[in-house]
Amino acid sequence: MAAGIDRNSITDAVIASFAGAGDARTREVMAALVRHLHDFAREVDLRPEEWRAAVAFLTDAARITDEARNEFVLASDVLGFTSLTDLLRSAPGATPRSVLGPFHAEGAPERAPGAVLAPGRAGQRVRVHGRVLDVAGSPVPGAVIDFWQADAEGRYWQQDPTQTPEDFRFRMRAGEDGAYAFETVRPAPYTVPYDGPVGRLLRALGRHAWRPAHFHFRVEAPGFAPLTTEVFPEDDPYLAQDAVFGVREALVARLEPVAGTPALELAFDFRLARAE
Ligand code: BEZ
Ligand code: FE
């Protein structure tokens, strides 16, 4: 290590210590991270007690994190970092990506197009339909849609013992013309968990924990980049203030009345980018 390190030269000294990294991308990413972290500390003239508070935040996040809950991902979500990584990878002409969230689980039941979800459960019925297309608007054959949502009370099956894991999620193979359709209930807005360090941070920043109501989709097809995204009904009060910054204009959809029924209809086409 170089002698005579001062508040400025320390940054280059740390970056120089990465010279032996076997992987060029690791070196590039870590060098940029150190440069920005050091610039940040210099910019705010970071105090030791503030550094200790940051370490305490991370320690508390580690304590509350387990298989079912990851406070580090939640911190990334509420700071817009998860959404930024999605925005950086959203391809031109393709449906924008949005957060996965903690409630996706493998093993959803297989359903055929036209499936009616949870017919006995409370909530306004919504008929969702559309097609899976490429960026030129041609149907994508062989697309599989993974779907999950909160119910009319804003709760996922993992949070609500009255739901079964089959009620509000499925895997569906779209038709060869890319068409998919299902009927469900209108989901409600809900709060992200705020009983841990991320909740304390939100309160300190004068923020709430609400997400606008949404449907989650993960769409996969051979030869195309997998798409994880969300669709948001347009009349939600939290649309402009999502706690995790997941809303994109192209993901907001209108709920239209279905003539002669109490049901609503939501039409949404997915546009997939080719795999890189
Ligand atoms: C969700 O949409 O399920 C979600 C996303 C980020 C944090 C918490 C929940
Ligand atoms: Fe969600």
Side-chain angles (χ1 to χ4, degrees):
M1 293 289 150
I5 280 174
D6 64 26
R7 61 164 57 201
N8 291 311
S9 67
I10 189 168
T11 304
D12 284 343
V14 174
I15 291 172
S17 77
F18 302 157
D23 176 59
R25 177 67 177 165
T26 302
R27 194 165 65 238
E28 179 193 358
V29 170
M30 286 306 298
L33 178 64
V34 165
R35 204 164 44 245
H36 288 283
L37 263 181
H38 286 205
D39 281 346
F40 151 75
R42 281 184 287 259
E43 181 184 323
V44 301
D45 195 16
L46 196 72
R47 298 167 189 163
E49 64 272 23
E50 292 166 337
W51 178 85
R52 281 196 296 276
V55 172
F57 175 88
L58 294 172
T59 308
D60 289 348
R63 282 205 188 98
I64 209 170
T65 293
D66 59 21
E67 281 297 304
R69 172 170 183 175
N70 192 318
E71 197 77 354
F72 296 98
V73 176
L74 186 60
S76 169
D77 293 344
V78 303
L79 294 176
F81 200 67
T82 314
S83 274
L84 176 57
T85 63
D86 284 330
L87 291 164
L88 289 171
R89 291 265 87 69
S90 288
T95 300
R97 296 156 62 108
S98 188
V99 293
L100 175 72
F103 298 111
H104 177 260
E106 299 299 332
E110 304 280 340
R111 302 288 208 130
V116 175
L117 305 189
R121 290 200 64 100
Q124 182 160 29
R125 303 304 296 183
V126 184
R127 298 177 189 171
V128 185
H129 61 92
R131 288 194 303 162
V132 182
L133 307 171
D134 64 17
V135 293
S138 300
V140 168
V144 174
I145 295 173
D146 210 330
F147 169 86
W148 66 108
Q149 69 164 94
D151 72 357
E153 304 288 327
R155 299 213 290 176
Y156 288 89
W157 64 273
Q158 295 96 328
Q159 304 169 302
D160 177 5
T162 75
Q163 289 181 48
T164 76
E166 281 76 40
D167 281 340
F168 291 117
R169 64 187 193 125
F170 61 71
R171 275 173 67 82
M172 181 179 291
R173 182 168 289 275
E176 287 306 289
D177 58 352
Y180 74 92
F182 60 95
E183 185 187 296
T184 183
V185 304
R186 182 181 182 146
Y190 62 82
T191 52
V192 301
Y194 59 92
D195 58 342
V198 169
R200 289 200 292 280
L201 180 64
L202 291 177
R203 278 191 288 279
L205 295 172
R207 284 179 51 181
H208 66 69
W210 285 92
R211 295 213 65 205
H214 53 271
F215 298 107
H216 287 276
F217 294 91
R218 183 171 168 83
V219 188
E220 290 178 297
F224 290 85
L227 170 70
T228 300
T229 194
E230 306 176 277
V231 175
F232 301 85
E234 70 164 4
D235 55 349
D236 192 285
Y238 296 106
L239 219 44
Q241 35 177 312
D242 182 3
V244 303
F245 305 94
V247 180
R248 329 265 174 258
E249 205 178 339
L251 301 179
V252 177
R254 185 179 287 256
L255 289 176
E256 305 276 9
V258 179
T261 82
L264 299 168
E265 180 181 356
L266 187 156
F268 194 88
D269 291 341
F270 298 97
R271 287 178 182 257
L272 302 187
R274 296 249 165 221
E276 278 171 19

